[in-house]
Amino acid sequence: MGDSATIVGLYRYPVKGLSPEPLAEVTLKAGETFPWDRAFAIENGKHDFDPANPKHFPKIKFLMLMRDERLAALKTHFDDASTTLTVAKDGSEVLRANLMTAEGRAALEDFMRGYMEKELRGLPRVVHAPGFSHSDAPAKLVSIINMASVRALEEKIGAHVNPLRFRANVYVEGLAPFADHDWVGRRFRMGDAGFQGIHKTVRCAATNVDPATAARDMEIPATLMKHWGHADLGLYAEIKSPGTLRPGDRLVLEEQV
């Protein structure tokens, strides 16, 4: 039957660079991302994202954890029905804004203008285009993390590595470390949805930031390179057939023919 594993966590990131949102279940469509995953981003500097003609930009264009670790101190929640983002800091709500309205986007921009004043290269601008994802990957994909790989990394670092550093959609248990790297080009199922592995995930300096404390306290890409000769941890996969995922669902690798 090949490798199999179990989903232990599902997450999305409605605003690129802001906090993960755990999901009890998610319904997926073929060729899409998690609903509302990276649906919004905050331009830092030049305002050249065109919602009428959206295209992929390098993440350096936006506010992002790789360079702006103070973002990790903000805890966010997005409500699908009202398209409202709630932002909290130190346990207190600091903003509630409907991001599908000009007023709501302006409210988030005003907040970031104060909170990220030292990091800004110009006026922040919240951008969104229906159906477009501001993922690091140009294609519409789902990111998967093998928890055994995280533990292998922990052994080399000698300290706990929060799996949320990797900002993935799906976290799985029950595999050998880095076994998912062999799934590029292969089909597998999670829950009742079908997937195909597309490419390994090259880790960047964003993983050096602890999502709980906002401290830049590890050298994860360098550690991966030192011990494994690459900076990869995780897999990007394309949704090939629709379905619903929940923690506890099995991941089953299909036999190669």
Side-chain angles (χ1 to χ4, degrees):
M1 180 60 92
D3 287 322
S4 65
T6 303
I7 296 173
V8 294
L10 297 170
Y11 294 85
R12 68 176 180 184
Y13 301 78
V15 181
K16 184 179 183 67
L18 298 187
S19 65
E21 186 172 324
L23 301 172
E25 67 175 44
V26 60
T27 299
L28 303 177
K29 297 179 180 178
E32 294 294 330
T33 61
F34 271 36
W36 296 102
D37 189 49
R38 278 86 169 184
F40 304 91
I42 305 171
E43 284 183 317
N44 182 9
K46 191 175 181 182
H47 294 176
D48 54 359
F49 179 84
D50 181 1
N53 184 30
K55 67 175 185 176
H56 182 262
F57 282 92
K59 61 186 164 191
I60 196 92
K61 172 179 174 56
F62 305 103
L63 287 177
M64 44 131 193
L65 274 182
M66 185 172 79
R67 189 182 50 213
D68 309 316
E69 59 265 30
R70 287 189 345 114
L71 292 173
L74 303 175
K75 306 306 174 191
T76 61
H77 171 75
F78 184 78
D79 180 70
D80 296 29
S82 65
T83 60
T84 295
L85 181 77
T86 304
V87 181
K89 185 175 186 296
D90 301 326
S92 297
E93 182 178 312
V94 294
L95 181 73
R96 183 181 293 262
N98 181 349
L99 296 187
M100 292 302 287
T101 67
E103 295 80 5
R105 292 190 292 275
L108 180 56
E109 291 161 358
D110 287 344
F111 173 79
M112 287 298 176
R113 200 155 52 233
Y115 184 71
M116 300 297 290
E117 180 181 7
K118 294 178 181 178
E119 293 87 353
L120 291 175
R121 304 190 299 267
L123 291 177
R125 177 185 176 228
V126 177
V127 294
H128 168 76
F132 184 82
S133 175
H134 296 276
S135 170
D136 290 351
K140 290 188 176 182
L141 303 173
V142 168
S143 57
I144 301 168
I145 286 292
N146 174 356
M147 291 292 289
S149 304
V150 179
R151 286 192 291 274
L153 179 65
E154 285 180 331
E155 290 179 12
K156 300 300 184 184
I157 290 177
H160 172 64
V161 176
N162 187 334
L164 294 180
R165 287 176 183 262
F166 302 101
R167 300 179 68 79
N169 298 125
V170 184
Y171 289 81
V172 297
E173 283 279 17
L175 298 170
F178 304 103
D180 51 308
H181 290 185
D182 296 329
W183 298 356
V184 174
R186 296 195 63 180
R187 296 288 190 107
F188 56 93
R189 301 196 69 79
M190 291 192 289
D192 55 2
F195 298 82
Q196 181 172 350
I198 300 300
H199 61 80
K200 294 176 282 188
T201 308
V202 181
R203 306 321 316 195
C204 70
T207 57
N208 295 334
V209 179
D210 186 330
T213 66
R216 192 178 293 273
D217 58 358
M218 289 185 177
E219 295 289 342
I220 285 178
T223 303
L224 288 166
M225 188 65 70
K226 176 182 177 181
H227 293 283
W228 288 280
H230 59 73
D232 302 326
L233 196 154
L235 180 76
Y236 273 114
E238 181 183 359
I239 304 169
K240 302 300 284 188
S241 60
T244 300
L245 306 186
R246 301 177 182 86
D249 283 350
R250 298 290 290 170
L251 183 158
V252 179
L253 186 64
E254 294 182 3
E255 293 288 354
Q256 288 182 305
V257 294

